[in-house]
Every structure is written in C-alpha cells, then in structure tokens.
Amino acid sequence: MKQSLINLIFFSDRRKELLFLLREGPRDIDAIKELLNVDAGTIQPHIKKMKDAHLLVEEKKVYSLSEIGKVIVENLAPFLNTIEVFEVNEDYWKTHDLTSVPDFLLDRIDELGHCELLEPDVEHMLETPKAFIENIASSNEILTFVSYFHPEAPSLYADLAEKGTKITLCMAENVILRLFSSFPEEAERLSISENSKIFVCQKPAPIPSIVVTDRFLSLKLSENGGKLRDQILISTEKKALDWGRDLFWHCMEVVEPVEGKTFFQRLKKRQPVCNRHSVNVD
C-alpha cells in the first residue's frame, strides 16, 4: 500500500531531520551520517522511502530536495515551529487569552521560537524577575506598552533614560495617572529626558504588556477569565524581536503623545489627588 506523504514525514523524526538538513543544501551520505549522527544502515531506508516519494533526488551520490520536497519543507517549517511554541509552555497557552493578539501576528506566532516562562516564587512575588532586569539593563532601545502599574518600573525606566537608553513608553491612562501622582520625581525625570518619549492609551488597552528591545521580548497576556497573573514570556530570538515590534506598533495605533502642560492640566481635573504626592504641572 502506498504511504501518504503526511504519514511518511510526520511519523518519523529521522525523516523530518533529513528534510531540514537538505533544506540547507545538498549532502552526500558521509555528510548526512555525520551531521545526523547515524550510520548508513539506519539512514538509507529513510532516504529510499523519500526518493520513492519524489521528495529527494540523487545525482552522483549527492542527495538534495526535489522541487516538491522544497515546497513541502518551506511550508512544514512554520507549522512545526508553531507546534513547538505551544508545546514548550503548553499550560500557559491553554489558560491565556490570545484574542488580544491580532490575526496577522497569530499567523506568525511560530516566530516567537523558544520562550522562557518567568514566574516568581512566593518569596519574590513583588520583585521583577532577574532575567528581565538583566536584559533590559543592557538594552540600547526599549519599546514598552503597559496597562498595569508595577512599583519598580518608575525608577527603573527613569534610570535607564538618564543612562542614555532610548525609550518609547506607552501606558494606559490609569497607569500614567498613578505614575505622575505617586512618583512625580521619576515622572519628571522621564518627561525631561531627551531619550524618552511618553504616550498615553485612553482606549481599552489591547494587551496587558509588551516590552521589546534590541535584546529580548517580554510578553504578558491575561488569563482566559480576565485575571492577570505575574507570568512573563521571554524570548531572545531575532524573529521574536521583529514579531514583538510589530505587536508594539499595533498597540500604538490607539495612543496619543504626552506633551506640555495640557495633558497634566487635564489629568489634574480628572484625577483627585489622593496619593502621597501631588502632580506638578510646572
């Protein structure tokens, strides 16, 4: 009975490995054995099956992908990468709301690659994860969209701006109100810095938070019921950074810049001062 291409490819990790190896270029049997760490007796039956299915061609004892094989592998790669993204942090993806991510980015979610899930233990619930601090501190440019307030953020971003890091910071209105009312010193440092640009999102925030720099991507999504837990997905892969920038600029479509006294006067009228500091509009 003729074996379907789906069964031929998906029921053998060895054949998938061979296809992706030959995607990089033609190889003779010695190179295949060395790169896949197999002997001839192990790999030859797989080569024969894929030649019979017209996925591989052989010329002068050198194997390469056929035209059909090239098309299949190019379409197979993002599919398998997408599965891997979801499998690595399966419980997280099952319990979190993806509707806040636009369709054009869901279609490219394979670009996230390997993500590390950061979740603080009970003794460090209010602390920013060390991996996040280390990555953001060594970044040259930071794009941040955030819809919730973290008490460590004002001093962190103000220090980075004064150090020379280029920052584009967008906050939901409730977050920026708290920043300027409860942390006026840090807010002023951010406002006067030539390296920082501040924006406010006055519409419902598209996502809880995203931070993307030249070094890493940090993403936080709400759970399916709307609850927000202190869990962060981090990726350092180049394609993930490109994906993150596209999501950030998608979120920025519903924001406006914070400039001059106009915003602060409007802020002061709308938000009674009930915190330990007042808003300075001068």
Side-chain angles (χ1 to χ4, degrees), residues 131-166:
F132 180 94
I133 294 294
E134 290 176 348
N135 276 293
I136 202 169
S138 56
S139 297
N140 296 311
E141 182 176 6
I142 301 169
L143 307 174
T144 294
F145 185 99
V146 63
S147 64
Y148 64 92
F149 189 85
H150 194 293
E152 292 184 349
S155 59
L156 173 64
Y157 279 88
D159 289 346
L160 289 170
E162 290 178 346
K163 189 184 73 172
T165 306
K166 186 178 179 181

Coordinates of all heavy atoms in Angstrom, one line a residue, residues 131-166:
A131 N 16.1 37.9 35.2 CA 16.3 37.8 33.8 C 15.8 39.0 33.1 O 16.4 39.5 32.1 CB 15.7 36.5 33.2
F132 N 14.7 39.5 33.5 CA 14.1 40.7 32.9 C 15.0 41.9 33.1 O 15.3 42.7 32.2 CB 12.7 41.0 33.4 CG 12.0 42.2 32.8 CD1 11.2 42.1 31.7 CD2 12.2 43.5 33.4 CE1 10.6 43.2 31.2 CE2 11.6 44.6 32.8 CZ 10.8 44.5 31.7
I133 N 15.4 42.1 34.4 CA 16.3 43.2 34.8 C 17.6 43.2 34.0 O 18.0 44.2 33.5 CB 16.5 43.2 36.3 CG1 15.2 43.5 37.1 CG2 17.6 44.3 36.7 CD1 14.6 44.9 36.9
E134 N 18.2 42.0 33.9 CA 19.5 41.9 33.3 C 19.4 42.3 31.8 O 20.2 43.0 31.2 CB 20.0 40.5 33.4 CG 20.5 40.2 34.9 CD 20.9 38.8 35.1 OE1 20.7 38.0 34.1 OE2 21.5 38.5 36.1
N135 N 18.3 41.8 31.1 CA 18.2 42.1 29.7 C 17.8 43.5 29.4 O 18.4 44.1 28.5 CB 17.1 41.1 29.1 CG 17.6 39.8 28.7 OD1 18.4 39.6 27.8 ND2 17.1 38.8 29.5
I136 N 16.9 44.1 30.2 CA 16.5 45.5 29.9 C 17.7 46.4 30.3 O 17.8 47.5 29.6 CB 15.2 45.8 30.7 CG1 14.5 47.0 30.0 CG2 15.5 46.1 32.1 CD1 13.1 47.3 30.4
A137 N 18.4 46.1 31.3 CA 19.5 47.0 31.7 C 20.6 47.1 30.6 O 21.4 48.1 30.5 CB 20.1 46.5 33.0
S138 N 20.8 46.0 29.8 CA 21.8 46.0 28.8 C 21.3 46.3 27.4 O 22.0 46.2 26.4 CB 22.5 44.6 28.8 OG 21.6 43.6 28.6
S139 N 20.0 46.8 27.3 CA 19.4 47.2 26.1 C 19.7 48.6 25.7 O 19.9 49.5 26.6 CB 17.9 47.0 26.1 OG 17.6 45.6 26.4
N140 N 19.8 48.9 24.4 CA 20.1 50.2 23.9 C 18.8 51.0 23.5 O 18.8 52.2 23.6 CB 21.0 50.1 22.7 CG 22.3 49.6 23.0 OD1 23.0 50.0 24.0 ND2 22.8 48.6 22.2
E141 N 17.8 50.2 23.2 CA 16.5 50.8 22.8 C 15.4 50.0 23.4 O 15.4 48.7 23.3 CB 16.3 51.0 21.3 CG 15.0 51.6 20.9 CD 14.9 51.8 19.4 OE1 15.8 51.4 18.7 OE2 14.0 52.5 19.0
I142 N 14.4 50.6 24.0 CA 13.3 49.9 24.7 C 11.9 50.4 24.2 O 11.7 51.7 24.2 CB 13.3 50.1 26.2 CG1 14.7 49.5 26.7 CG2 12.2 49.4 26.9 CD1 14.9 49.9 28.2
L143 N 11.1 49.5 23.8 CA 9.7 49.9 23.4 C 8.8 49.2 24.4 O 8.8 48.0 24.6 CB 9.3 49.4 22.0 CG 10.3 49.8 20.9 CD1 9.8 49.1 19.6 CD2 10.2 51.3 20.7
T144 N 8.0 49.9 25.2 CA 7.1 49.4 26.2 C 5.7 49.8 26.1 O 5.4 51.0 26.0 CB 7.7 49.7 27.6 OG1 8.9 49.1 27.8 CG2 6.7 49.2 28.7
F145 N 4.8 48.9 26.1 CA 3.3 49.2 26.2 C 2.8 48.4 27.5 O 3.0 47.2 27.6 CB 2.6 48.7 25.0 CG 1.2 49.1 25.0 CD1 0.7 50.2 24.2 CD2 0.2 48.4 25.7 CE1 -0.6 50.6 24.2 CE2 -1.1 48.7 25.7 CZ -1.5 49.8 24.9
V146 N 2.2 49.2 28.4 CA 1.8 48.5 29.6 C 0.5 49.1 30.1 O 0.2 50.3 30.0 CB 2.9 48.7 30.7 CG1 3.1 50.2 31.1 CG2 2.5 47.9 32.0
S147 N -0.4 48.2 30.6 CA -1.7 48.6 31.0 C -1.9 48.4 32.6 O -3.0 48.6 33.1 CB -2.8 47.7 30.3 OG -2.7 46.4 30.6
Y148 N -0.9 48.0 33.3 CA -0.9 47.9 34.7 C 0.3 48.5 35.3 O 1.3 48.7 34.7 CB -1.0 46.4 35.1 CG 0.2 45.6 34.8 CD1 1.2 45.4 35.7 CD2 0.3 45.0 33.5 CE1 2.4 44.7 35.3 CE2 1.5 44.3 33.2 CZ 2.5 44.2 34.1 OH 3.6 43.5 33.7
F149 N 0.2 48.8 36.6 CA 1.3 49.5 37.3 C 2.1 48.6 38.1 O 1.6 47.8 38.8 CB 0.7 50.6 38.2 CG 1.8 51.5 38.8 CD1 2.2 52.6 38.0 CD2 2.4 51.3 40.0 CE1 3.2 53.5 38.5 CE2 3.3 52.1 40.5 CZ 3.8 53.2 39.7
H150 N 3.5 48.7 37.9 CA 4.4 48.0 38.8 C 5.3 49.0 39.5 O 5.9 49.9 38.9 CB 5.3 47.1 37.9 CG 6.0 46.1 38.7 ND1 7.0 46.4 39.6 CD2 5.9 44.7 38.7 CE1 7.5 45.3 40.1 NE2 6.9 44.3 39.6
P151 N 5.3 48.9 40.8 CA 6.0 50.0 41.6 C 7.5 50.1 41.4 O 8.1 51.1 41.7 CB 5.8 49.5 43.1 CG 5.4 48.1 43.0 CD 4.7 47.9 41.7
E152 N 8.1 49.1 40.8 CA 9.6 49.2 40.5 C 9.8 49.8 39.2 O 11.0 50.2 38.9 CB 10.2 47.8 40.5 CG 10.3 47.1 41.9 CD 11.0 45.8 41.8 OE1 11.3 45.3 40.7 OE2 11.3 45.2 42.9
A153 N 8.8 50.0 38.3 CA 9.0 50.5 37.0 C 9.4 51.9 36.9 O 10.3 52.3 36.1 CB 7.7 50.3 36.2
P154 N 8.9 52.9 37.7 CA 9.2 54.3 37.5 C 10.7 54.5 37.7 O 11.3 55.2 36.8 CB 8.4 55.0 38.6 CG 7.2 54.1 38.8 CD 7.7 52.7 38.6
S155 N 11.3 54.0 38.7 CA 12.8 54.3 38.9 C 13.6 53.5 37.9 O 14.6 54.0 37.4 CB 13.2 53.9 40.3 OG 12.9 52.5 40.6
L156 N 13.2 52.3 37.5 CA 13.9 51.5 36.5 C 14.0 52.3 35.2 O 15.1 52.5 34.6 CB 13.2 50.2 36.3 CG 13.8 49.3 35.2 CD1 15.2 48.9 35.5 CD2 12.9 48.1 35.0
Y157 N 12.9 52.8 34.7 CA 12.8 53.5 33.4 C 13.5 54.8 33.5 O 14.2 55.2 32.5 CB 11.4 53.6 32.9 CG 10.9 52.3 32.2 CD1 10.3 51.3 33.0 CD2 11.1 52.1 30.9 CE1 9.9 50.1 32.4 CE2 10.7 51.0 30.2 CZ 10.1 50.0 31.0 OH 9.6 48.8 30.4
A158 N 13.3 55.5 34.6 CA 14.0 56.8 34.7 C 15.5 56.7 34.7 O 16.2 57.5 34.1 CB 13.5 57.5 36.0
D159 N 16.0 55.7 35.5 CA 17.5 55.4 35.5 C 18.0 55.1 34.1 O 19.0 55.6 33.7 CB 17.8 54.3 36.5 CG 17.6 54.7 37.9 OD1 17.4 55.9 38.2 OD2 17.5 53.8 38.8
L160 N 17.2 54.3 33.4 CA 17.7 53.9 32.0 C 17.7 55.0 31.1 O 18.6 55.2 30.3 CB 16.8 52.8 31.5 CG 16.9 51.4 32.2 CD1 15.7 50.5 31.7 CD2 18.2 50.8 31.8
A161 N 16.7 55.9 31.2 CA 16.6 57.1 30.3 C 17.8 58.0 30.6 O 18.5 58.5 29.6 CB 15.3 57.8 30.5
E162 N 18.2 58.2 31.8 CA 19.3 59.1 32.2 C 20.6 58.4 31.8 O 21.6 59.1 31.6 CB 19.2 59.4 33.7 CG 18.1 60.3 34.1 CD 18.0 60.6 35.5 OE1 18.7 59.9 36.3 OE2 17.3 61.5 35.9
K163 N 20.6 57.1 31.7 CA 21.9 56.4 31.3 C 22.1 56.5 29.8 O 23.2 56.3 29.3 CB 21.7 54.9 31.7 CG 23.0 54.2 31.6 CD 22.8 52.7 31.9 CE 22.0 52.0 30.8 NZ 22.0 50.5 31.0
G164 N 21.1 56.9 29.1 CA 21.2 57.1 27.6 C 20.4 56.1 26.8 O 20.5 56.1 25.6
T165 N 19.7 55.2 27.5 CA 18.8 54.3 26.7 C 17.7 55.0 26.1 O 17.0 55.8 26.7 CB 18.3 53.2 27.7 OG1 19.4 52.6 28.4 CG2 17.6 52.1 26.9
K166 N 17.4 54.7 24.8 CA 16.3 55.3 24.1 C 15.0 54.5 24.4 O 14.9 53.3 24.3 CB 16.6 55.2 22.6 CG 15.5 55.9 21.7 CD 15.9 55.8 20.2 CE 14.9 56.5 19.4 NZ 15.2 56.3 17.9

